[in-house]
Structures are given as C-alpha cells and as structure tokens.
Amino acid sequence: MAFMAFLGYVNIFLVRNSINLAIVAMVNYTAVNYNVPIIDNTTKPGAIHCEVHSENFTGKNEDGPFVWSQPIQALISTSFLWGYITTNIPGGRLAEVVGTKYLLTGSMLLTSVLTVLVPPAAYLGWQYVVFIRVLMGIALGPSFPSMHPMIAKWIPPTERSTISALVYGGAELGTVSGLLLTGFIIENIGWEAVFYIEGCFGVVWAVFWLLIIHDNPEEHPRISEKEKTYIKTQIAKDAHVSNKALPIPWKSILTSMPFYSILIANIGHNWGFLILLVDLPIYLRTIFGFDIKSNAVILALPYFLSWISTLILCPLADLCKKRKWLSTVAVRKIWTLIGHLGPALCLFVMAGAGCNIQLIIAMLMLSQVVEAGNYGGWLINHIDIAPSFSGTLFGITNGVSMLVSWLGPVLVGFMTDENQTLEAWSAVFIMAGSVLAADSIFFLIFGSGSEQSWNYKAEGESDEVESRMNNENNTPIVTQENNQLP
C-alpha cells in the first residue's frame, strides 16, 4: 500500500509541477523584454544579472512561442491551486466515507487526460491553459487529504513517521523526476511532448492501484490473519480509529488550538514551497542565464536530497517514540522546527548571497535536506490528534493553506515584473523565510501530540471518558462506553 501510494505521489507531482519548468521553454523572453543575459565576462556586480563562472552552463536559451509576462506566468503556475483548494475538504471527507481507493483512481485518470490537453490549450491562449490547470487542481484536490485516513487504518502509530516519509516522499521524488524528465524531454523532443508523455504515466499507475489496493486490512483478501491482528491491536493501543464515518465535530475542531497550530504550519510550508517551486526556474533563468537543462539539474538536486533525508529523519522520529526517548508532542515540535526554521535560515543566507551562485546552490540543497523534517512533524500530526477525522482535518489545513499560499508566487510575480534584479529577489527570499520562521514558533507554542477528546466523544456528550488531551503517552482509557475498540 505504502509503495503504491509513493508511486502515486510521484505521478501526481510529475504532472502537477512540470509546467513550472516547461513554461521557461514556452515563453518568448526576448519579446517580453526581460533583458535575459548572455553568459560572458563583462557582467559587473550589481548589474541586472550575474556572471556564471562555470563551463557547465552554456547560456543556451531558446525562446518559446508565447509572449507571456511574468504575472501571466505566475498566474498559469498558480491557477492549479484555485481548483485544488475547492476539493481538499470534500476530498478528505469522501475518503472517510467511501474510502481512498476509488477516489484516487478517478482523481489520477481525470488529471492525466487534462495534462494531455495542455499543449493545444496553450496555442489557443493562456486563458485556456489557466482553465485546464484549474480543472487539474479540482481533480487532484483530494490526493493528499484522502491518504491520511488510509494511513490511520493501516499503519501502527510507532511506524507512521517512517511510512509517511515513504508515502509523501513521492512528492519530493516526483518533483525531482518531473524536473529532470521535463528538462530532458524539452531538450530532445520539445515542450509539447512533456505533457503527452507524463499524462500517460498516470493512467498506468491508476490501473495498478485499482487492481491491488484496498482501503483497510479487513477488506484485503490476501493479508494474513496474523498481520491483520497485529495492525488492529497496535492501532487500538494508541487511539480510536473507526472504519465508519463519524459526524464531524465542527465546533470542537474550529476551537482547537492544536488544530490551528497544524493549519498555520501548513500555510507557512506551502508558502515557502510554492515560491521556490514556481519562481526559482525564472530566477535562475533571468538572473544567472541558466539554460533549461542546467536549470532542471540545479532545481532537482535539492529535492532528491530532501527525499533521501526523509528516509533518515522520519525513521529516527519513530525510533524516538518507540524507545520513549521523546514524547509524541516533543517529536512533532522538534521535527517541525527542523523543517521550517532550517529552510528559513537558508533563505536569509540566499538573500545576502548576491552573485555567489555556489553559496546559493548550497543553501538550496541544505534547505531541502532539513525541510524533510516536516514529514515527521506537523504533516502527520493530524492523525495524532484525531485519527477518525484525519482526512477532514488535512483537507481543511491543506485547502486553507493553498488558498493563502498561491498569493506568494503571484506576489513574487509583481515584485519582479520588469524588475529582475538582485535586490528584488533578495526581498523575495527574506519574505519567504520570515513566514516559515513565524509559523514554526506558533506550532512550538500550541502544537500537541495527544488524541483530542472530540475524536472519540460526540459534541454535547457527557464526558464519561477522562480527557486525554494532555496524555502524552497516548494510551487509551477503556471504559464500558468505549470498550468496542478493535
């Protein structure tokens, strides 16, 4: 299940993010009048762009067919999020009600078809590309929230950080493969082929997912009774997880500070992530004059290192919990600080790095290595505080965060439109780093690692089960009323 989910997120981020690099090959930068540099030895510090001291970067930049300004490019890249935010909450709830299996199958198949339609839409006009991207966002909105309910039913608590690293690490590897594959296809075939080829991958994955995956251990026809009993027993030790959809305790959720700490962390994460993902290709193209191939390699390497880092940091988080070296809340807060303060410091260094491309690339790589801490921090914290509503919670936090975060790349577009200077980009990095630093402090103050009482007790019900909100050992207290744990 975890491996197939991992491949699913590789595909999702392949088709979701390929536009961010492909658009560099689609735009006619000469016509847009960006004063794109030619690599030579005449560039002076403080000029509009920087000299690149490397024979590996040829400076070969071929203009594309479309005259799209910087704000339009940002609009195309971020329009995906307009649709994405509309289906996060219903997607998470649908996964709790009908399951993840069929929801993700339909999501991927629809997205694959839409991906293939991007090139003809581009020739009709940028407005049509925006429309296609919005539809893709609607289709993929359930992709992240729908996975939490499956993890809650399949994965024992002391293994969740490790499995979440494997599953959601597909986003990192999908970003890597998307950048490298997109760069390779553009260089050798053309930008149109990017969307035709990558769209087909999703169809193949959806067929295999439909054939071999089941929503919970009870429905799986081939799982052994020993493993099924182990999973049910281990999950029951930690919290209440129902295979049936329960009424959503909206009042309790919307008055819960642990919930808001996750929400703020998600907003900060997506704000920084989207700015780097959407705008860095343009930054490297306009300030340093990197060609498509060099751009792809520079952008892909940090995400590859982030994927490797998740396979180290997240098992370490589970080990700390299993050996009782740290409580759940301590693990979530420490790993969130690593995943947010670390990249914030790297962005601050990039803001003052000037034309020192070696330092900038080093900070990009380091920022993504420590960013992997998020997978053992706030990202999996939805399941800690309310496993029965983890899909809904993730849908809310991810949807709201995207609603806010898409403004980041748009703001960068206006900050740098006809102003491709070191000063403008330094301001961009300081802005992104400040948001990450602020939200990590909020999570440090208000984050929790305990199952909240509203996960197992209906709103208005008398509190016959002692509240476990401060129970950092996460051991359920079983009474006559809640003794139907599996």
Side-chain angles (χ1 to χ4, degrees):
M1 185 277 290
F3 181 66
M4 281 300 300
F6 161 78
L7 293 179
Y9 285 112
V10 169
N11 274 293
I12 287 169
F13 273 72
L14 194 66
V15 299
R16 171 178 165 174
N17 295 328
S18 57
I19 189 73
N20 297 314
L21 185 60
I23 202 169
V24 178
M26 297 166 71
V27 171
N28 188 323
Y29 283 91
T30 302
V32 177
N33 192 27
Y34 270 5
N35 191 21
V36 177
I38 298 174
I39 308 305
D40 56 33
N41 294 318
T42 63
T43 312
K44 304 299 181 183
I48 193 171
H49 57 269
C50 297
E51 177 183 355
V52 177
H53 300 279
S54 174
E55 296 179 356
N56 296 325
F57 306 120
T58 63
K60 179 185 176 183
N61 282 309
E62 297 180 0
D63 281 324
F66 307 113
V67 183
W68 294 338
S69 67
Q70 177 78 350
I72 289 177
Q73 294 175 57
L75 199 63
I76 290 172
S77 294
T78 57
S79 57
F80 169 89
L81 303 177
W82 305 351
Y84 187 77
I85 60 178
T86 64
T87 52
N88 262 246
I89 297 176
R93 184 56 177 169
L94 271 175
E96 294 166 356
V97 175
V98 303
T100 304
K101 175 179 179 176
Y102 295 105
L103 192 59
L104 273 187
T105 301
S107 175
M108 182 62 78
L109 287 175
L110 179 56
T111 303
S112 299
V113 172
L114 292 169
T115 300
V116 174
L117 295 177
V118 170
Y123 284 104
L124 290 175
W126 64 266
Q127 299 91 337
Y128 294 92
V129 180
V130 168
F131 179 67
I132 292 293
R133 295 279 294 168
V134 170
L135 294 180
M136 289 176 64
I138 293 173
L140 284 179
S143 58
F144 266 90
S146 65
M147 188 53 59
H148 264 30
M150 183 172 276
I151 290 176
K153 294 171 185 176
W154 271 99
I155 311 301
T158 56
E159 301 171 27
R160 283 177 183 159
S161 293
T162 301
I163 295 300
S164 70
L166 173 60
V167 171
Y168 296 120
E172 307 289 353
L173 199 60
T175 303
V176 171
S177 57
L179 289 167
L180 294 178
L181 183 62
T182 299
F184 176 82
I185 294 174
I186 291 173
E187 287 282 321
N188 294 278
I189 306 177
W191 64 266
E192 295 98 331
V194 170
F195 302 98
Y196 299 141
I197 293 173
E198 294 180 358
C200 294
F201 291 162
V203 176
V204 175
W205 176 86
V207 171
F208 281 96
W209 174 265
L210 185 63
L211 292 175
I212 66 178
I213 296 302
H214 297 270
D215 283 305
N216 56 64
E218 285 78 5
E219 296 179 5
H220 202 291
R222 294 177 298 277
I223 188 174
S224 69
E225 285 298 322
K226 181 179 179 181
E227 183 179 5
K228 186 186 298 184
T229 301
Y230 169 77
I231 292 173
K232 292 168 64 177
T233 302
Q234 293 299 311
I235 290 176
K237 288 181 180 180
D238 184 78
H240 303 79
V241 182
S242 175
N243 285 331
K244 297 181 179 179
L246 304 174
I248 301 174
W250 287 110
K251 180 180 178 181
S252 297
I253 291 174
L254 298 178
T255 55
S256 170
M257 291 309 295
F259 162 74
Y260 281 109
S261 71
I262 300 172
L263 173 62
I264 298 300
N266 203 336
I267 290 174
H269 167 74
N270 282 324
W271 184 277
F273 175 79
L274 288 174
I275 286 177
L276 291 179
L277 186 67
V278 173
D279 294 303
L280 270 180
I282 298 171
Y283 165 70
L284 294 174
R285 169 75 157 88
T286 57
I287 299 298
F288 293 96
F290 288 169
D291 57 28
I292 294 290
K293 183 177 180 181
S294 303
N295 211 326
V297 172
I298 292 172
L299 292 170
L301 184 56
Y303 290 106
F304 177 75
L305 294 176
S306 179
W307 177 61
I308 296 297
S309 182
T310 62
L311 303 180
I312 299 172
L313 284 176
C314 293
L316 180 59
D318 278 339
L319 181 64
C320 289
K321 283 188 62 180
K322 185 177 293 186
R323 297 289 179 85
K324 300 188 183 303
W325 295 339
L326 293 170
S327 65
T328 300
V329 67
V331 168
R332 301 301 179 231
K333 289 184 176 182
I334 291 172
W335 264 248
T336 298
L337 287 176
I338 293 172
H340 280 210
L341 278 183
L345 293 174
C346 292
L347 286 167
F348 293 149
V349 173
M350 288 172 60
C355 289
N356 190 338
I357 187 60
Q358 291 83 4
L359 178 59
I360 290 171
I361 293 175
M363 288 298 101
L364 279 175
M365 291 190 289
L366 180 59
S367 70
Q368 293 306 301
V369 167
V370 293
E371 188 268 346
N374 289 306
Y375 293 98
W378 65 267
L379 184 68
I380 203 68
N381 195 222
H382 305 79
I383 303 178
D384 295 327
I385 67 171
S388 294
F389 305 103
S390 56
T392 297
L393 293 187
F394 201 176
I396 297 171
T397 63
N398 210 42
V400 173
S401 72
M402 287 299 180
L403 180 63
V404 176
S405 300
W406 76 270
L407 294 172
V410 173
L411 179 60
V412 172
F414 284 102
M415 292 171 66
T416 59
D417 187 34
E418 298 184 4
N419 185 30
Q420 295 293 329
T421 62
L422 289 172
E423 291 77 9
W425 282 101
S426 292
V428 167
F429 297 142
I430 290 174
M431 174 193 66
S434 298
V435 171
L436 283 169
D439 76 70
S440 64
I441 295 173
F442 190 91
F443 188 86
L444 182 64
I445 297 172
F446 295 107
S448 174
S450 300
E451 180 189 6
Q452 305 298 289
S453 61
W454 41 269
N455 180 66
Y456 57 86
K457 180 171 67 67
E459 289 180 340
E461 181 182 331
S462 60
D463 194 1
E464 297 181 12
V465 180
E466 182 180 353
S467 174
R468 293 169 295 171
M469 294 175 65
N470 296 317
N471 175 17
E472 292 304 334
N473 291 324
N474 292 325
T475 303
I477 301 172
V478 181
T479 69
Q480 185 67 30
E481 282 71 31
N482 74 343
N483 62 2
Q484 297 181 16
L485 291 173

